[in-house]
Amino acid sequence: MSQESKVPIRLGFIGLSTTGWASIALAPPLFEDPISSRYSLVAVSTSKPETAEASAAKYSELASKARGTSITVKPYHGPAKYIVSDKEVDMIAVSVKVLDHKEAAIQAIEAGKDLFIEWPAGRGFEETKELYEAAKNKRIKTLVGFQTRFTAYALKAKQVIESGDLGKILSSTFIISTNGFWGPFTSSVHKYILSSSNGATLLDIPGGHALDLFTHILGPISSLSATIKNQVPYSTLLDSDGKPTGETVPNDGPNQICISGTLANGALFTVHLQSSMTEADFNWIIHGDKGVLRIIDNSDRTKKRGFFDASPDVYLNGEKVGIDVDVVTKRTGLNWEAFADGDTSKFADLEHALKLKEVLQAIRKSSEDGRRINLL
């Protein structure tokens, strides 16, 4: 089906329950204008029959209200093979733990369905590469969940830079500090993020999102040097009430990531991402030969995670610039819309995800070898 077509894309959604990230951020735009005319949710799939039935009931009601007619969303549960075999599904959305990305996504691709998949789109470089090559061979159109490039501040930054107001970009410094995950305490349900083999470390998830945002606005990285370090080798697990369980487990992922290098446009850059801080930070400065853009979150740093919930102000040459109200469903809605429009300048696909995984590999290699890595 042509993405540019006005015929709604019939969507099957793996991992869409009545609660959780997908229900809060990814699904709501599908039932609101203008996205509700571009997509039609026809099936959901969860791990258990009872959650599948509950999810189908919820989204049948929302879909019926949005379309003004009775809509029945079909429930599937268990392996992905059931929902991907549905002939009324054009596209499969995968929003599950990274541990299960490849299994669900590869089945969707093999069934000839277009694909939405959350970042990091598989564990490590090899799984992402396998998904990319499979999709390429089957001529499958793909969409990756890089929602941060659609934040109000990101859209404004891109607009300012493309307008030429900053002139030639000379340098950029981006500092992100988080005080939530990847620290001395971790919820038991997120225990898997502490093992680098699971592809869900600070570098893999927020690092990937941050670098997608950074390069989407400023262009690709030409070369880099990096130092990454683990200062929190163990993490105490917390129960559902946030109380320590008494179990302490190893954490082998980095909590300090320092990167410097050169962009393809010749500008120099520094990115510093760190976790387990007492206060969150989001400070991004872009210098050009005609001006400077500052994107800074001045809100209460003790109550924020630091990146995914950042709400920075934007300043051009010292003057605060007005931006739209930013909500997560607007970001995800713009991502859905860009894909439906076929606007590849706005959304990321698996080819882009693979290139970003190459950057993450280069960061690790540079830190291990103590040398600069050329990417272009």
Side-chain angles (χ1 to χ4, degrees), residues 110-127:
E110 290 173 350
K113 312 295 186 182
D114 288 341
L115 175 70
F116 166 88
I117 185 169
E118 281 285 18
W119 176 259
R123 287 186 287 183
F125 177 83
E126 292 302 327
E127 285 196 2

mmCIF file with all atom_site columns, all heavy atoms in Angstrom, residues 110-127:
data_model
loop_
_atom_site.group_PDB
_atom_site.id
_atom_site.type_symbol
_atom_site.label_atom_id
_atom_site.label_alt_id
_atom_site.label_comp_id
_atom_site.label_asym_id
_atom_site.label_entity_id
_atom_site.label_seq_id
_atom_site.pdbx_PDB_ins_code
_atom_site.Cartn_x
_atom_site.Cartn_y
_atom_site.Cartn_z
_atom_site.occupancy
_atom_site.B_iso_or_equiv
_atom_site.pdbx_formal_charge
_atom_site.auth_seq_id
_atom_site.auth_comp_id
_atom_site.auth_asym_id
_atom_site.auth_atom_id
_atom_site.pdbx_PDB_model_num
ATOM 1   N N   . GLU A 1 110 ? 8.735  -10.989 7.336  1.00 0.00 ? 110 GLU A N   1
ATOM 2   C CA  . GLU A 1 110 ? 8.577  -12.197 6.522  1.00 0.00 ? 110 GLU A CA  1
ATOM 3   C C   . GLU A 1 110 ? 7.152  -12.359 6.005  1.00 0.00 ? 110 GLU A C   1
ATOM 4   O O   . GLU A 1 110 ? 6.925  -12.943 4.941  1.00 0.00 ? 110 GLU A O   1
ATOM 5   C CB  . GLU A 1 110 ? 9.001  -13.420 7.331  1.00 0.00 ? 110 GLU A CB  1
ATOM 6   C CG  . GLU A 1 110 ? 10.512 -13.482 7.582  1.00 0.00 ? 110 GLU A CG  1
ATOM 7   C CD  . GLU A 1 110 ? 10.907 -14.599 8.516  1.00 0.00 ? 110 GLU A CD  1
ATOM 8   O OE1 . GLU A 1 110 ? 10.004 -15.222 9.125  1.00 0.00 ? 110 GLU A OE1 1
ATOM 9   O OE2 . GLU A 1 110 ? 12.127 -14.858 8.655  1.00 0.00 ? 110 GLU A OE2 1
ATOM 10  N N   . ALA A 1 111 ? 6.187  -11.791 6.744  1.00 0.00 ? 111 ALA A N   1
ATOM 11  C CA  . ALA A 1 111 ? 4.791  -11.859 6.315  1.00 0.00 ? 111 ALA A CA  1
ATOM 12  C C   . ALA A 1 111 ? 4.454  -10.759 5.310  1.00 0.00 ? 111 ALA A C   1
ATOM 13  O O   . ALA A 1 111 ? 3.314  -10.675 4.845  1.00 0.00 ? 111 ALA A O   1
ATOM 14  C CB  . ALA A 1 111 ? 3.872  -11.755 7.529  1.00 0.00 ? 111 ALA A CB  1
ATOM 15  N N   . GLY A 1 112 ? 5.460  -9.910  4.991  1.00 0.00 ? 112 GLY A N   1
ATOM 16  C CA  . GLY A 1 112 ? 5.246  -8.865  4.002  1.00 0.00 ? 112 GLY A CA  1
ATOM 17  C C   . GLY A 1 112 ? 4.560  -7.626  4.530  1.00 0.00 ? 112 GLY A C   1
ATOM 18  O O   . GLY A 1 112 ? 4.020  -6.824  3.753  1.00 0.00 ? 112 GLY A O   1
ATOM 19  N N   . LYS A 1 113 ? 4.588  -7.430  5.848  1.00 0.00 ? 113 LYS A N   1
ATOM 20  C CA  . LYS A 1 113 ? 3.940  -6.270  6.441  1.00 0.00 ? 113 LYS A CA  1
ATOM 21  C C   . LYS A 1 113 ? 4.941  -5.126  6.616  1.00 0.00 ? 113 LYS A C   1
ATOM 22  O O   . LYS A 1 113 ? 6.104  -5.356  6.971  1.00 0.00 ? 113 LYS A O   1
ATOM 23  C CB  . LYS A 1 113 ? 3.361  -6.609  7.822  1.00 0.00 ? 113 LYS A CB  1
ATOM 24  C CG  . LYS A 1 113 ? 2.538  -7.887  7.876  1.00 0.00 ? 113 LYS A CG  1
ATOM 25  C CD  . LYS A 1 113 ? 1.267  -7.805  7.045  1.00 0.00 ? 113 LYS A CD  1
ATOM 26  C CE  . LYS A 1 113 ? 0.411  -9.051  7.258  1.00 0.00 ? 113 LYS A CE  1
ATOM 27  N NZ  . LYS A 1 113 ? -0.813 -9.043  6.443  1.00 0.00 ? 113 LYS A NZ  1
ATOM 28  N N   . ASP A 1 114 ? 4.487  -3.902  6.359  1.00 0.00 ? 114 ASP A N   1
ATOM 29  C CA  . ASP A 1 114 ? 5.298  -2.752  6.736  1.00 0.00 ? 114 ASP A CA  1
ATOM 30  C C   . ASP A 1 114 ? 5.447  -2.749  8.247  1.00 0.00 ? 114 ASP A C   1
ATOM 31  O O   . ASP A 1 114 ? 4.661  -3.389  8.969  1.00 0.00 ? 114 ASP A O   1
ATOM 32  C CB  . ASP A 1 114 ? 4.664  -1.457  6.230  1.00 0.00 ? 114 ASP A CB  1
ATOM 33  C CG  . ASP A 1 114 ? 4.782  -1.305  4.722  1.00 0.00 ? 114 ASP A CG  1
ATOM 34  O OD1 . ASP A 1 114 ? 5.634  -1.985  4.121  1.00 0.00 ? 114 ASP A OD1 1
ATOM 35  O OD2 . ASP A 1 114 ? 4.013  -0.508  4.136  1.00 0.00 ? 114 ASP A OD2 1
ATOM 36  N N   . LEU A 1 115 ? 6.450  -2.011  8.752  1.00 0.00 ? 115 LEU A N   1
ATOM 37  C CA  . LEU A 1 115 ? 6.834  -2.187  10.154 1.00 0.00 ? 115 LEU A CA  1
ATOM 38  C C   . LEU A 1 115 ? 7.102  -0.875  10.870 1.00 0.00 ? 115 LEU A C   1
ATOM 39  O O   . LEU A 1 115 ? 7.845  -0.029  10.379 1.00 0.00 ? 115 LEU A O   1
ATOM 40  C CB  . LEU A 1 115 ? 8.103  -3.047  10.229 1.00 0.00 ? 115 LEU A CB  1
ATOM 41  C CG  . LEU A 1 115 ? 8.737  -3.248  11.611 1.00 0.00 ? 115 LEU A CG  1
ATOM 42  C CD1 . LEU A 1 115 ? 7.860  -4.143  12.480 1.00 0.00 ? 115 LEU A CD1 1
ATOM 43  C CD2 . LEU A 1 115 ? 10.145 -3.844  11.467 1.00 0.00 ? 115 LEU A CD2 1
ATOM 44  N N   . PHE A 1 116 ? 6.479  -0.708  12.042 1.00 0.00 ? 116 PHE A N   1
ATOM 45  C CA  . PHE A 1 116 ? 6.918  0.276   13.030 1.00 0.00 ? 116 PHE A CA  1
ATOM 46  C C   . PHE A 1 116 ? 7.595  -0.493  14.144 1.00 0.00 ? 116 PHE A C   1
ATOM 47  O O   . PHE A 1 116 ? 7.066  -1.500  14.634 1.00 0.00 ? 116 PHE A O   1
ATOM 48  C CB  . PHE A 1 116 ? 5.739  1.057   13.626 1.00 0.00 ? 116 PHE A CB  1
ATOM 49  C CG  . PHE A 1 116 ? 6.118  1.831   14.873 1.00 0.00 ? 116 PHE A CG  1
ATOM 50  C CD1 . PHE A 1 116 ? 6.625  3.119   14.766 1.00 0.00 ? 116 PHE A CD1 1
ATOM 51  C CD2 . PHE A 1 116 ? 6.003  1.262   16.131 1.00 0.00 ? 116 PHE A CD2 1
ATOM 52  C CE1 . PHE A 1 116 ? 6.999  3.825   15.911 1.00 0.00 ? 116 PHE A CE1 1
ATOM 53  C CE2 . PHE A 1 116 ? 6.373  1.957   17.272 1.00 0.00 ? 116 PHE A CE2 1
ATOM 54  C CZ  . PHE A 1 116 ? 6.875  3.249   17.161 1.00 0.00 ? 116 PHE A CZ  1
ATOM 55  N N   . ILE A 1 117 ? 8.763  -0.011  14.570 1.00 0.00 ? 117 ILE A N   1
ATOM 56  C CA  . ILE A 1 117 ? 9.446  -0.649  15.697 1.00 0.00 ? 117 ILE A CA  1
ATOM 57  C C   . ILE A 1 117 ? 10.074 0.417   16.569 1.00 0.00 ? 117 ILE A C   1
ATOM 58  O O   . ILE A 1 117 ? 10.622 1.409   16.084 1.00 0.00 ? 117 ILE A O   1
ATOM 59  C CB  . ILE A 1 117 ? 10.520 -1.657  15.210 1.00 0.00 ? 117 ILE A CB  1
ATOM 60  C CG1 . ILE A 1 117 ? 11.135 -2.404  16.401 1.00 0.00 ? 117 ILE A CG1 1
ATOM 61  C CG2 . ILE A 1 117 ? 11.591 -0.974  14.366 1.00 0.00 ? 117 ILE A CG2 1
ATOM 62  C CD1 . ILE A 1 117 ? 11.995 -3.598  15.999 1.00 0.00 ? 117 ILE A CD1 1
ATOM 63  N N   . GLU A 1 118 ? 9.962  0.218   17.866 1.00 0.00 ? 118 GLU A N   1
ATOM 64  C CA  . GLU A 1 118 ? 10.579 1.146   18.804 1.00 0.00 ? 118 GLU A CA  1
ATOM 65  C C   . GLU A 1 118 ? 12.106 1.041   18.734 1.00 0.00 ? 118 GLU A C   1
ATOM 66  O O   . GLU A 1 118 ? 12.651 -0.028  18.431 1.00 0.00 ? 118 GLU A O   1
ATOM 67  C CB  . GLU A 1 118 ? 10.116 0.841   20.232 1.00 0.00 ? 118 GLU A CB  1
ATOM 68  C CG  . GLU A 1 118 ? 8.746  1.372   20.557 1.00 0.00 ? 118 GLU A CG  1
ATOM 69  C CD  . GLU A 1 118 ? 8.738  2.868   20.779 1.00 0.00 ? 118 GLU A CD  1
ATOM 70  O OE1 . GLU A 1 118 ? 9.685  3.563   20.360 1.00 0.00 ? 118 GLU A OE1 1
ATOM 71  O OE2 . GLU A 1 118 ? 7.766  3.357   21.363 1.00 0.00 ? 118 GLU A OE2 1
ATOM 72  N N   . TRP A 1 119 ? 12.786 2.143   19.000 1.00 0.00 ? 119 TRP A N   1
ATOM 73  C CA  . TRP A 1 119 ? 14.216 2.097   19.237 1.00 0.00 ? 119 TRP A CA  1
ATOM 74  C C   . TRP A 1 119 ? 14.448 1.368   20.558 1.00 0.00 ? 119 TRP A C   1
ATOM 75  O O   . TRP A 1 119 ? 13.644 1.536   21.464 1.00 0.00 ? 119 TRP A O   1
ATOM 76  C CB  . TRP A 1 119 ? 14.781 3.530   19.299 1.00 0.00 ? 119 TRP A CB  1
ATOM 77  C CG  . TRP A 1 119 ? 16.235 3.556   19.647 1.00 0.00 ? 119 TRP A CG  1
ATOM 78  C CD1 . TRP A 1 119 ? 16.795 3.833   20.862 1.00 0.00 ? 119 TRP A CD1 1
ATOM 79  C CD2 . TRP A 1 119 ? 17.320 3.284   18.758 1.00 0.00 ? 119 TRP A CD2 1
ATOM 80  N NE1 . TRP A 1 119 ? 18.155 3.746   20.799 1.00 0.00 ? 119 TRP A NE1 1
ATOM 81  C CE2 . TRP A 1 119 ? 18.500 3.397   19.515 1.00 0.00 ? 119 TRP A CE2 1
ATOM 82  C CE3 . TRP A 1 119 ? 17.401 2.928   17.411 1.00 0.00 ? 119 TRP A CE3 1
ATOM 83  C CZ2 . TRP A 1 119 ? 19.752 3.184   18.948 1.00 0.00 ? 119 TRP A CZ2 1
ATOM 84  C CZ3 . TRP A 1 119 ? 18.647 2.724   16.861 1.00 0.00 ? 119 TRP A CZ3 1
ATOM 85  C CH2 . TRP A 1 119 ? 19.806 2.852   17.624 1.00 0.00 ? 119 TRP A CH2 1
ATOM 86  N N   . PRO A 1 120 ? 15.473 0.476   20.645 1.00 0.00 ? 120 PRO A N   1
ATOM 87  C CA  . PRO A 1 120 ? 16.645 0.382   19.783 1.00 0.00 ? 120 PRO A CA  1
ATOM 88  C C   . PRO A 1 120 ? 16.564 -0.607  18.616 1.00 0.00 ? 120 PRO A C   1
ATOM 89  O O   . PRO A 1 120 ? 17.611 -0.963  18.064 1.00 0.00 ? 120 PRO A O   1
ATOM 90  C CB  . PRO A 1 120 ? 17.747 -0.041  20.764 1.00 0.00 ? 120 PRO A CB  1
ATOM 91  C CG  . PRO A 1 120 ? 17.046 -0.859  21.793 1.00 0.00 ? 120 PRO A CG  1
ATOM 92  C CD  . PRO A 1 120 ? 15.689 -0.246  21.943 1.00 0.00 ? 120 PRO A CD  1
ATOM 93  N N   . ALA A 1 121 ? 15.375 -1.025  18.258 1.00 0.00 ? 121 ALA A N   1
ATOM 94  C CA  . ALA A 1 121 ? 15.195 -1.858  17.057 1.00 0.00 ? 121 ALA A CA  1
ATOM 95  C C   . ALA A 1 121 ? 16.100 -3.090  17.071 1.00 0.00 ? 121 ALA A C   1
ATOM 96  O O   . ALA A 1 121 ? 16.824 -3.373  16.122 1.00 0.00 ? 121 ALA A O   1
ATOM 97  C CB  . ALA A 1 121 ? 15.440 -1.032  15.797 1.00 0.00 ? 121 ALA A CB  1
ATOM 98  N N   . GLY A 1 122 ? 16.055 -3.806  18.171 1.00 0.00 ? 122 GLY A N   1
ATOM 99  C CA  . GLY A 1 122 ? 16.862 -5.007  18.300 1.00 0.00 ? 122 GLY A CA  1
ATOM 100 C C   . GLY A 1 122 ? 18.047 -4.823  19.226 1.00 0.00 ? 122 GLY A C   1
ATOM 101 O O   . GLY A 1 122 ? 18.505 -3.705  19.470 1.00 0.00 ? 122 GLY A O   1
ATOM 102 N N   . ARG A 1 123 ? 18.531 -5.937  19.753 1.00 0.00 ? 123 ARG A N   1
ATOM 103 C CA  . ARG A 1 123 ? 19.698 -5.904  20.651 1.00 0.00 ? 123 ARG A CA  1
ATOM 104 C C   . ARG A 1 123 ? 20.982 -5.784  19.849 1.00 0.00 ? 123 ARG A C   1
ATOM 105 O O   . ARG A 1 123 ? 21.319 -6.683  19.070 1.00 0.00 ? 123 ARG A O   1
ATOM 106 C CB  . ARG A 1 123 ? 19.752 -7.178  21.490 1.00 0.00 ? 123 ARG A CB  1
ATOM 107 C CG  . ARG A 1 123 ? 18.723 -7.251  22.583 1.00 0.00 ? 123 ARG A CG  1
ATOM 108 C CD  . ARG A 1 123 ? 18.927 -8.455  23.469 1.00 0.00 ? 123 ARG A CD  1
ATOM 109 N NE  . ARG A 1 123 ? 18.534 -9.693  22.793 1.00 0.00 ? 123 ARG A NE  1
ATOM 110 C CZ  . ARG A 1 123 ? 18.562 -10.887 23.358 1.00 0.00 ? 123 ARG A CZ  1
ATOM 111 N NH1 . ARG A 1 123 ? 18.992 -11.020 24.597 1.00 0.00 ? 123 ARG A NH1 1
ATOM 112 N NH2 . ARG A 1 123 ? 18.173 -11.953 22.700 1.00 0.00 ? 123 ARG A NH2 1
ATOM 113 N N   . GLY A 1 124 ? 21.669 -4.685  20.014 1.00 0.00 ? 124 GLY A N   1
ATOM 114 C CA  . GLY A 1 124 ? 22.969 -4.524  19.390 1.00 0.00 ? 124 GLY A CA  1
ATOM 115 C C   . GLY A 1 124 ? 22.922 -4.353  17.886 1.00 0.00 ? 124 GLY A C   1
ATOM 116 O O   . GLY A 1 124 ? 21.866 -4.369  17.244 1.00 0.00 ? 124 GLY A O   1
ATOM 117 N N   . PHE A 1 125 ? 24.093 -4.210  17.315 1.00 0.00 ? 125 PHE A N   1
ATOM 118 C CA  . PHE A 1 125 ? 24.242 -3.942  15.881 1.00 0.00 ? 125 PHE A CA  1
ATOM 119 C C   . PHE A 1 125 ? 23.727 -5.091  15.027 1.00 0.00 ? 125 PHE A C   1
ATOM 120 O O   . PHE A 1 125 ? 23.030 -4.869  14.025 1.00 0.00 ? 125 PHE A O   1
ATOM 121 C CB  . PHE A 1 125 ? 25.722 -3.676  15.583 1.00 0.00 ? 125 PHE A CB  1
ATOM 122 C CG  . PHE A 1 125 ? 26.016 -3.462  14.131 1.00 0.00 ? 125 PHE A CG  1
ATOM 123 C CD1 . PHE A 1 125 ? 25.836 -2.216  13.540 1.00 0.00 ? 125 PHE A CD1 1
ATOM 124 C CD2 . PHE A 1 125 ? 26.484 -4.504  13.339 1.00 0.00 ? 125 PHE A CD2 1
ATOM 125 C CE1 . PHE A 1 125 ? 26.106 -2.019  12.196 1.00 0.00 ? 125 PHE A CE1 1
ATOM 126 C CE2 . PHE A 1 125 ? 26.756 -4.324  11.990 1.00 0.00 ? 125 PHE A CE2 1
ATOM 127 C CZ  . PHE A 1 125 ? 26.571 -3.070  11.429 1.00 0.00 ? 125 PHE A CZ  1
ATOM 128 N N   . GLU A 1 126 ? 24.061 -6.321  15.393 1.00 0.00 ? 126 GLU A N   1
ATOM 129 C CA  . GLU A 1 126 ? 23.753 -7.461  14.540 1.00 0.00 ? 126 GLU A CA  1
ATOM 130 C C   . GLU A 1 126 ? 22.255 -7.686  14.364 1.00 0.00 ? 126 GLU A C   1
ATOM 131 O O   . GLU A 1 126 ? 21.797 -7.992  13.263 1.00 0.00 ? 126 GLU A O   1
ATOM 132 C CB  . GLU A 1 126 ? 24.420 -8.729  15.086 1.00 0.00 ? 126 GLU A CB  1
ATOM 133 C CG  . GLU A 1 126 ? 25.940 -8.716  14.983 1.00 0.00 ? 126 GLU A CG  1
ATOM 134 C CD  . GLU A 1 126 ? 26.442 -8.531  13.553 1.00 0.00 ? 126 GLU A CD  1
ATOM 135 O OE1 . GLU A 1 126 ? 25.772 -9.013  12.615 1.00 0.00 ? 126 GLU A OE1 1
ATOM 136 O OE2 . GLU A 1 126 ? 27.496 -7.899  13.371 1.00 0.00 ? 126 GLU A OE2 1
ATOM 137 N N   . GLU A 1 127 ? 21.480 -7.545  15.415 1.00 0.00 ? 127 GLU A N   1
ATOM 138 C CA  . GLU A 1 127 ? 20.037 -7.740  15.280 1.00 0.00 ? 127 GLU A CA  1
ATOM 139 C C   . GLU A 1 127 ? 19.414 -6.641  14.425 1.00 0.00 ? 127 GLU A C   1
ATOM 140 O O   . GLU A 1 127 ? 18.529 -6.904  13.606 1.00 0.00 ? 127 GLU A O   1
ATOM 141 C CB  . GLU A 1 127 ? 19.372 -7.806  16.655 1.00 0.00 ? 127 GLU A CB  1
ATOM 142 C CG  . GLU A 1 127 ? 19.617 -9.116  17.382 1.00 0.00 ? 127 GLU A CG  1
ATOM 143 C CD  . GLU A 1 127 ? 18.671 -9.342  18.543 1.00 0.00 ? 127 GLU A CD  1
ATOM 144 O OE1 . GLU A 1 127 ? 17.775 -8.494  18.779 1.00 0.00 ? 127 GLU A OE1 1
ATOM 145 O OE2 . GLU A 1 127 ? 18.819 -10.380 19.226 1.00 0.00 ? 127 GLU A OE2 1
#
